[in-house]
Amino acid sequence: MRQWIIAGVLAALCVAGTAWLALSPRPTPPPPLRVLLIPADGGTESGTLADYRPIFDAVARRTGLSFDLKVAQSYGGVVEAMCNNAADIAFVGSVTYLQAQKRGCAELLAVAVKSGRSVYYSGLFVRGDSPVRSIDDLRGKRIAFGDVNSTSAFIFPVAMLLDAGIDPVRDLSAVRMTGTHANSLAALINGQVDAAALSFDSYDKAVRANVPRARDLRVIARSEPIPYPPLAANMRLAPALRSRLRDAFEKIDRTPGITPEMIRGYGGARVDGYVGHVPADHFFPATRKMAQVTPALKGEMLRKSAERAVR
């Protein structure tokens, strides 16, 4: 009899536990991490999103986290979003990253590696039939630049002009600020400018996409190696979460089920993997160019660009 009583009590407890579990609210999954991308290239918001969705899908598969990807209107908008806690993770240029880091808003999360290096290049391009053969021939010409905070579409190309003894305010006939690499490329192809400053990654992407007449363009100057555009984490994220994300990026190329096609970087190009720990001097070249292209010079070039627009 006693055994029957014990069995009955256990059965009742089991039923009660099952009912409690059924009535208890399930834990709410955390909201997706907000990812903001600079409008580096792609020409369209959907194109930029397509560049980075594969790698974030891969990290989501490894970590179980989810990500909400959006594209900013400007490079400066990404810095403000990080510092105003409107973004958790950002894909930025080196200069943009240094701006956010200086304000205490961001720390390095991961940098892509391709062929053992984390660098890329900027260039000055002209049309194939242009008489311009070298950077010295750009005096008196019209040049398109991207966003004023873009590392490869403004800072490094302007520094290249300065190094060649060309004052971009005094010696160019017109400055056009287009906002993106793709817009600068289009301005050059359509004959609105004589030269355009953009990254080789953006140019290569245009060639892969068979943009009309992109293959006919010619390079007249190539920059020194530029630190690859990093992914940055908002400093407000918990240190454990930042560490978890960094670990996921660093091991993504060795994660079962992740295909090489998912490991993408700037411009949607396939890369070998990511590193989350880089030497302290990795961004020194960008720091040096930032110092060379002073805020005063930026202001003068913006004014020159606005004057042209009014004419």
Side-chain angles (χ1 to χ4, degrees):
M1 176 61 75
R2 183 181 179 187
Q3 291 177 335
W4 283 105
I5 292 174
I6 293 174
V9 170
L10 290 175
L13 288 173
C14 183
V15 170
T18 304
W20 180 82
L21 287 174
L23 293 174
S24 298
R26 294 183 178 179
T28 304
L33 292 169
R34 302 160 298 173
V35 181
L36 198 58
L37 312 171
I38 56 172
D41 54 14
T44 63
E45 181 172 327
S46 59
T48 303
L49 290 174
D51 288 347
Y52 273 86
R53 201 176 297 284
I55 184 63
F56 278 96
D57 286 347
V59 174
R61 187 176 297 183
R62 179 181 176 88
T63 61
L65 299 169
S66 59
F67 303 94
D68 179 23
L69 276 62
K70 287 186 169 54
V71 179
Q73 294 300 311
S74 68
Y75 288 56
V78 178
V79 176
E80 293 306 319
M82 291 290 275
C83 294
N84 294 327
N85 199 27
D88 300 312
I89 299 171
F91 163 64
V92 291
S94 298
V95 168
T96 316
Y97 165 65
L98 291 172
Q99 291 170 342
Q101 185 198 43
K102 187 176 181 180
R103 292 172 59 178
C105 309
E107 72 169 15
L108 181 73
L109 179 61
V111 179
V113 178
K114 187 173 184 178
S115 302
R117 304 187 72 190
S118 292
V119 298
Y120 72 123
Y121 297 87
S122 173
L124 289 164
F125 295 78
V126 299
R127 290 185 298 280
D129 59 355
S130 171
V132 175
R133 295 291 170 183
S134 71
I135 196 167
D136 290 332
D137 296 333
L138 289 176
R139 287 183 175 82
K141 303 299 183 184
R142 305 163 298 168
I143 301 184
F145 299 90
D147 190 289
V148 71
N149 292 310
S150 170
T151 308
S152 57
F154 186 80
I155 300 295
F156 271 72
V158 171
M160 290 163 66
L161 293 173
L162 295 172
D163 290 342
I166 297 176
D167 185 323
V169 177
R170 183 192 62 208
D171 297 333
L172 300 181
S173 65
V175 168
R176 182 169 180 185
M177 302 301 300
T178 69
T180 69
H181 300 250
N183 289 344
S184 294
L185 189 72
L188 176 60
I189 290 174
N190 294 329
Q192 297 165 338
V193 293
D194 302 302
L198 61 146
S199 73
F200 276 82
D201 292 67
S202 296
Y203 173 70
D204 291 342
K205 180 172 183 175
V207 170
R208 293 198 304 270
N210 292 316
V211 171
R213 292 180 284 172
R215 293 180 184 275
D216 299 332
L217 300 182
R218 182 157 46 82
V219 182
I220 60 165
R222 182 185 180 96
S223 74
E224 62 184 76
I226 303 174
Y228 198 86
L231 288 161
N234 193 322
M235 289 298 289
R236 288 187 174 92
L237 288 180
L241 179 55
R242 280 183 264 149
S243 178
R244 182 181 175 190
L245 286 165
R246 186 173 293 108
D247 180 73
F249 274 101
E250 287 195 314
K251 296 177 179 174
I252 200 65
D253 59 319
R254 304 183 295 279
T255 299
I258 302 302
T259 64
E261 288 73 21
M262 299 179 74
I263 305 175
R264 300 279 176 171
Y266 180 29
R270 278 178 53 177
V271 296
D272 301 330
Y274 280 81
V275 293
H277 301 83
V278 300
D281 60 353
H282 178 71
F283 291 101
F284 178 72
T287 305
R288 186 158 44 85
K289 296 302 179 185
M290 283 175 65
Q292 195 174 353
V293 183
T294 64
L297 177 56
K298 283 184 180 180
E300 291 178 19
M301 290 186 68
L302 288 172
R303 280 192 291 275
K304 186 180 181 76
S305 175
E307 290 170 0
R308 176 199 170 279
V310 170
R311 289 172 188 167

